[in-house]
Amino acid sequence: MANVFKLRKGLDIHLKGTAIKEKGKVGKAEEYALIPDDFTGVTPKLAVHEGDKVKAGDALFVNKAHPEVRFSSPVSGTVTAVERGERRKVLCVKVKADAQQQYVDFGKRDVSSLNGEQVKKALLDAGLFGYINHLPYAVSTTPNEQPKAIFVSALRDKPLAADFEFELQGNEQAFQTGLTALSKMAKTYLGIGAKQTAAALVNAKDVEVNIFDGPCPAGNVGVQVNHVSPVNKGEVVWIVEPTAVIFFGRLFDEGRVNLTRTVAIAGSEVESPCYVDALVGTPLSALVGGKLKRQDGIRVISGNPLSGTKTSLDAYLGAHTSTISVIPEGDDADEMLGWIMPRFKQFSMNRSYFSWLQGKNKEYSLDARVKGGERKIIMSGEYDRVLPMDIYGEYLIKAIIAGDIDRQEQLGIYEVSPEDFALAEFVDSSKLELQRIVRQGLDVLRKENA
């Protein structure tokens, strides 16, 4: 019998443009790219040079601090460019794809007959181990870490987020193989939503299934860790995105690296929101091009509007990206009389607008405006209303801003990741960039404890 956790705190935001459960077409793509910044905490060191020929599964770069952690090419072809930024930082490695794809053969293996070290070695050799993150610090993990548990959250409940149950269709066997592989390395917990009914989730084997019933952010893996097995100082838990579990399963079932994922193309500025199957590193122009209502005055987001990052159609599909959101920028917005109007089309958590009279399930077309400048921190309990974790969010943010490391540790910084504060950032009347603040705090703490 699965454990059920009922959460009361949180906030569901319904936005127009949720992807319908149909597969759309992907435009032609000749060049793909792998981006080191998708793997937080990794300092890349190139494993290839321009002009080199690679197969799908060959390493494009490695983690400089742990060279055994490789990051493999999604396609076979020729390395056409290595883009660098300040201080020669590697920004991306581009590969022109072959017409006929070739794969490195890692060999099919029965994962049930392997032990934890053999599973870890297989993931390292195939360049997939870096897809595992860890708490504390919310960074890509390293093979010398010994986790007390591994967490996978199959519940995506942020606005416009892709439905994993739809992505799971046809990938049930690979998902189960991936879960079994993870269970060989440490006790594995699978978090699902109360409304999810897929047999591959509800009846998953070799893992402990936990059901989370409540509003967003019940699907945040950090929230689930906090309720099931909180992280104390000196402890480590691994967190794995559910699509990465499918990648792992394919490696053992097919003997090759297959980085194809199902991505939601969503948002109020998308003509026909839908899902597409695409490789990691696919140009966004091939995914989104031809699906937009307009080309100007829009915000393209890699991820969901709450915790995603601003990007453009010239970018590439990220290693952990399951949603591409397109919403209005808001630069051309002209509201007569501003806040004085009743605003039936605007969302407010505090019933400041009359839109609350239209029910909780009303869909809104929100834009990217902040609607106000940064202000002093108001200790109003706003964060606590949407943060279902056993921490004092407002006090933690103040401790991070003040640089008080001891206070941060006492207030539970080891348990959080930036996305845990996405909703708090949305409702924050002080207009602070809470996710950026938390990320900076985690980076400072990581350096101090290195």
Side-chain angles (χ1 to χ4, degrees):
M1 186 69 179
N3 298 316
V4 179
F5 295 87
K6 292 189 176 182
L7 309 181
R8 297 183 180 276
K9 295 181 179 180
L11 177 67
D12 287 326
I13 305 170
H14 302 285
L15 299 185
K16 291 182 179 179
T18 300
I20 60 174
K21 295 180 181 180
E22 294 180 1
K23 293 286 182 73
K25 295 182 179 180
V26 177
K28 186 178 180 180
E30 296 183 351
E31 193 173 61
Y32 295 76
L34 196 64
I35 304 169
D37 279 351
D38 288 341
F39 306 97
T40 307
V42 170
T43 301
K45 179 180 179 181
L46 287 176
V48 294
H49 300 89
E50 291 185 18
D52 286 354
K53 294 284 292 182
V54 295
K55 293 181 179 180
D58 279 332
L60 295 181
F61 56 86
V62 302
N63 186 346
K64 187 176 181 180
H66 296 271
E68 67 274 23
V69 181
R70 309 175 188 178
F71 298 88
S72 56
S73 173
V75 295
S76 68
T78 304
V79 178
T80 56
V82 176
E83 292 190 357
R84 295 181 181 270
E86 295 182 4
R87 303 180 67 179
R88 293 186 58 77
K89 176 184 176 181
V90 178
L91 301 180
C92 72
V93 182
K94 297 181 179 180
V95 179
K96 183 177 181 181
D98 291 332
Q100 188 68 35
Q101 287 294 293
Q102 300 180 28
Y103 298 85
V104 177
D105 184 7
F106 294 101
K108 298 180 182 180
R109 306 181 73 177
D110 180 6
V111 72
S112 63
S113 66
L114 305 179
N115 59 38
E117 287 302 316
Q118 289 172 320
V119 169
K120 183 185 294 186
K121 185 178 186 305
L123 295 177
L124 287 168
D125 292 344
L128 296 178
F129 188 82
Y131 284 78
I132 302 174
N133 288 344
H134 78 234
L135 291 177
Y137 314 128
V139 295
S140 183
T141 195
T142 54
N144 61 322
E145 299 282 3
Q146 183 55 48
K148 71 170 183 175
I150 301 174
F151 282 81
V152 179
S153 173
L155 174 60
R156 296 170 177 155
D157 56 2
K158 290 189 175 65
L160 301 183
D163 185 347
F164 181 68
E165 280 192 293
F166 184 70
E167 180 178 357
L168 186 59
Q169 295 176 12
N171 292 304
E172 292 88 348
Q173 179 57 49
F175 184 70
Q176 181 57 64
T177 301
L179 290 178
T180 301
L182 291 175
S183 70
K184 297 291 183 176
M185 294 186 287
K187 182 175 177 60
T188 302
Y189 298 91
L190 173 63
I192 66 175
K195 296 180 180 179
Q196 290 182 306
T197 59
L201 298 177
V202 177
N203 301 321
K205 301 174 182 177
D206 302 318
V207 297
E208 181 179 304
V209 179
N210 294 306
I211 299 174
F212 289 84
D213 184 5
C216 175
N220 278 17
V221 70
V223 171
Q224 297 180 9
V225 171
N226 182 263
H227 282 79
V228 178
S229 180
V231 181
N232 299 309
K233 186 174 182 179
E235 295 179 337
V236 172
V237 299
W238 286 356
I239 53 180
V240 186
E241 204 265 334
T243 305
V245 177
I246 295 176
F247 293 166
F248 300 166
R250 288 174 183 160
L251 172 66
F252 295 104
D253 289 344
E254 302 174 8
R256 65 181 186 177
V257 171
N258 181 351
L259 299 181
T260 302
R261 64 187 305 152
T262 301
V263 182
I265 309 299
S268 58
E269 294 303 312
V270 178
E271 193 69 49
S272 299
C274 63
Y275 288 82
V276 297
D277 288 334
L279 282 168
V280 168
T282 302
L284 295 190
S285 57
L287 301 181
V288 184
K291 296 182 176 67
L292 301 180
K293 295 179 179 179
R294 53 176 173 160
Q295 297 296 320
D296 56 347
I298 59 175
R299 171 74 63 92
V300 181
I301 303 169
S302 177
N304 64 79
L306 278 182
S307 58
T309 57
K310 181 181 178 181
T311 186
S312 70
L313 297 184
D314 296 327
Y316 299 85
L317 180 65
H320 298 284
T321 303
S322 59
T323 305
I324 301 297
S325 309
V326 188
I327 63 175
E329 187 67 57
D331 292 344
D332 55 352
D334 185 14
E335 296 180 289
M336 184 178 69
L337 300 181
W339 58 268
I340 298 177
M341 299 296 286
R343 293 190 176 188
F344 287 101
K345 296 182 179 180
Q346 294 291 324
F347 176 82
S348 173
M349 180 182 177
N350 301 307
R351 296 188 176 184
S352 300
Y353 311 141
F354 287 176
S355 56
W356 71 270
L357 295 171
Q358 301 174 65
K360 293 182 178 181
N361 295 322
K362 176 181 171 56
E363 293 186 336
Y364 297 88
S365 178
L366 303 185
D367 56 43
R369 289 177 296 163
V370 178
K371 297 184 178 179
E374 186 174 309
R375 305 152 190 169
K376 301 296 184 182
I377 294 181
I378 302 171
M379 302 297 286
S380 61
E382 287 177 316
Y383 303 174
D384 293 336
R385 293 169 63 186
V386 296
L387 189 63
M389 301 176 71
D390 188 21
I391 61 173
Y392 294 103
E394 292 174 339
Y395 291 97
L396 176 57
I397 291 296
K398 290 182 68 175
I400 294 173
I401 294 174
D404 188 339
I405 292 176
D406 291 338
R407 188 68 171 156
Q408 292 172 44
E409 292 180 342
Q410 294 169 4
L411 291 169
I413 192 171
Y414 291 117
E415 297 184 48
V416 304
S417 61
E419 73 164 357
D420 294 329
F421 282 81
L423 267 177
E425 184 176 293
F426 177 78
V427 304
D428 184 20
S429 56
S430 299
K431 307 296 181 182
L432 299 178
E433 296 181 20
L434 301 185
Q435 294 180 81
R436 178 185 58 80
I437 291 171
V438 173
R439 180 74 268 165
Q440 290 178 346
L442 291 171
D443 289 343
V444 169
L445 209 62
R446 183 168 169 243
K447 290 180 180 178
E448 286 288 331
N449 293 330

